[in-house]
Amino acid sequence: DVNYLDDGAKSTQEVSFLWPMDGVFTSAVALAEVDPVKYGCYVDSMVMAVEQYYDDGRMPAGYQAYPVRMGKVDRYYDDNGLVGLAYVAAYGVTRNPAHLEKAKQVMTFILSGWRPDHDGAVSWLEGVENQKPGCANGKAMLLALNLYGATGDPYYLTAGRRFYDWMDAYLHDPELDIVWNSWLTQPEARLDKAVYSYNTGLLLQGAVALYGYTGDRVYLDNARRLAEGARKFYLPETPDGAAANRDLPWFYLVLLRGYQALYDLDGDPKYVDHPLDGLGAPERTGCRRVVLQRLVGEERRIGHAQVAAGRGLHPRIFRPCGFDPQGSRTGCLAPVGIVSHRRVGNIQELHP
């Protein structure tokens, strides 16, 4: 009986939870990016499926764990973050403004859960405030930064930085340079030191994105520390020189996306090659890199600075989660200048 509902009072239904359903949605968008003619209909089908979970009976509207026809159940901020990321990526592929509006609605729902205790952040799910996990806050951070990339609205950059600052202050271990699972708020405030690779991968992606948008090297330095910390912790070398795998593939993929984002920025293949060493001999490095590129949902990666320069963009502009700035409205990806960032005391206020 597979059941992740927080209250434990609902029986498992003969349909997918929202979380794995969104995994299929994300996959459909990645396929459509490679071949929109062949796979664009998959995106349309997945939109119809995911919208079965859309609950506008509670405001602000959001997506619940089961289809609404099966009754009222929990609405998880991390699940909604996944839906929002899939929608903004779908917008990048289809240019359908309805997809972008859906992503904005999800961001509004997540921001409604921001609470001022412990310097902010959101809980795992609506109405239950016993923890503030990396999964929910990291996905909210990336959604906000993706929305900034898609719209150019500085409101979303501020929101993304705000989630980033909180995670960096509360969950980032400055010695190991990994991100712990959650900040527990009840019955006493303490750090939950469970380890999942996606938490470090989320903050790594956020650091790369914020460097791309602001040019502040604090973010780039943090990204490189996180990349190395994750390599040592999650990908230690085995006796035969390959990288060990200590996490579930889906979770691990989030870390790989972070490595790919850093590679796009600096062109150093160190972290994109290492996780895939087990796929072939050293002379097959290029083949392994292609595998990683396809895993993270990109058909082509030819060097971030070259792509940006070819499009007349600032060379540090980051293209989050496959969003392609080509064809975007003029100025929506303009750099916002150098913005300093630091820990808890400077976490910015944001009013949705």
Side-chain angles (χ1 to χ4, degrees):
D1 186 26
V2 180
N3 194 342
Y4 80 142
L5 295 172
D6 182 74
D7 58 14
K10 305 291 189 303
S11 298
T12 302
Q13 304 291 335
E14 292 184 359
V15 297
S16 172
F17 289 120
L18 178 61
W19 176 34
M21 178 64 76
D22 183 74
V24 182
F25 186 14
T26 302
S27 299
V29 174
L31 287 168
E33 185 178 8
V34 173
D35 189 339
V37 174
K38 183 176 181 179
Y39 297 111
C41 60
Y42 288 24
V43 176
D44 296 337
S45 295
M46 288 312 304
V47 166
M48 293 177 63
V50 168
E51 286 306 305
Q52 300 299 309
Y53 298 74
Y54 184 67
D55 168 30
D56 59 1
R58 291 172 280 181
M59 297 305 291
Y63 293 83
Q64 62 175 44
Y66 272 137
V68 293
R69 70 176 185 274
M70 295 180 171
K72 178 181 176 181
V73 293
D74 295 328
R75 302 196 295 185
Y76 291 78
Y77 294 119
D78 63 329
D79 290 1
N80 274 264
L82 285 172
V83 171
L85 286 166
Y87 265 122
V88 77
Y91 171 70
V93 173
T94 68
R95 293 289 188 255
N96 184 341
H99 297 337
L100 184 60
E101 287 306 310
K102 280 292 182 181
K104 291 178 180 179
Q105 288 178 20
V106 171
M107 192 77 255
T108 297
F109 169 70
I110 295 174
L111 286 172
S112 74
W114 183 276
R115 295 292 179 268
D117 60 297
H118 305 277
D119 295 295
V122 299
S123 61
W124 184 31
L125 71 155
E126 183 181 31
V128 179
E129 299 176 10
N130 58 358
Q131 64 169 311
K132 299 189 176 192
C135 63
N137 289 282
K139 290 163 191 171
M141 170 194 66
L142 287 186
L143 176 56
L145 294 175
N146 272 266
L147 283 169
Y148 175 67
T151 68
D153 187 340
Y155 173 83
Y156 295 116
L157 180 63
T158 299
R161 188 185 294 117
R162 189 179 181 213
F163 280 106
Y164 175 94
D165 285 345
W166 187 89
M167 286 187 66
D168 192 40
Y170 275 81
L171 303 183
H172 178 193
D173 187 309
E175 295 182 2
L176 294 175
D177 277 316
I178 62 170
V179 177
W180 299 115
N181 185 53
S182 185
W183 182 258
L184 304 179
T185 59
Q186 298 175 8
E188 62 180 358
R190 64 182 179 87
L191 192 61
D192 171 16
K193 289 192 173 183
V195 287
Y196 301 103
S197 56
Y198 59 72
N199 286 317
T200 303
L202 289 167
L203 194 62
L204 171 56
Q205 290 180 64
V208 174
L210 283 166
Y211 173 69
Y213 286 140
T214 70
D216 190 338
R217 290 192 62 89
V218 169
Y219 297 120
L220 179 59
D221 292 342
N222 206 24
R224 288 172 171 161
R225 287 196 302 270
L226 289 164
E228 182 64 13
R231 184 193 67 80
K232 292 178 179 178
F233 192 90
Y234 290 105
L235 302 166
E237 289 189 358
T238 58
D240 61 0
N245 185 351
R246 292 182 168 178
D247 212 342
L248 297 174
W250 196 3
F251 296 174
Y252 196 46
L253 179 57
V254 180
L255 178 58
L256 294 181
R257 286 195 181 109
Y259 283 152
Q260 186 69 47
L262 186 58
Y263 169 67
D264 286 349
L265 194 69
D266 63 16
D268 185 346
K270 175 181 180 180
Y271 298 112
V272 296
D273 287 343
H274 179 69
L276 299 176
D277 279 342
L279 293 181
E283 62 269 16
R284 298 180 61 190
T285 295
C287 295
R288 296 200 305 276
R289 196 172 301 152
V290 168
V291 172
L292 178 57
Q293 290 163 5
R294 296 303 174 89
L295 280 172
V296 299
E298 285 291 331
E299 182 186 19
R300 49 188 165 75
R301 298 282 194 175
I302 61 173
H304 175 76
Q306 293 171 324
V307 172
R311 291 174 179 164
L313 298 173
H314 191 284
R316 290 195 303 264
I317 292 301
F318 177 65
R319 180 157 52 102
C321 292
F323 182 81
D324 187 347
Q326 191 172 29
S328 303
R329 66 182 177 83
T330 302
C332 79
L333 288 175
V336 296
I338 305 301
V339 182
S340 62
H341 121 277
R342 198 51 270 161
R343 290 180 178 268
V344 181
N346 290 331
I347 293 178
Q348 300 182 40
E349 290 300 320
L350 181 73
H351 302 285

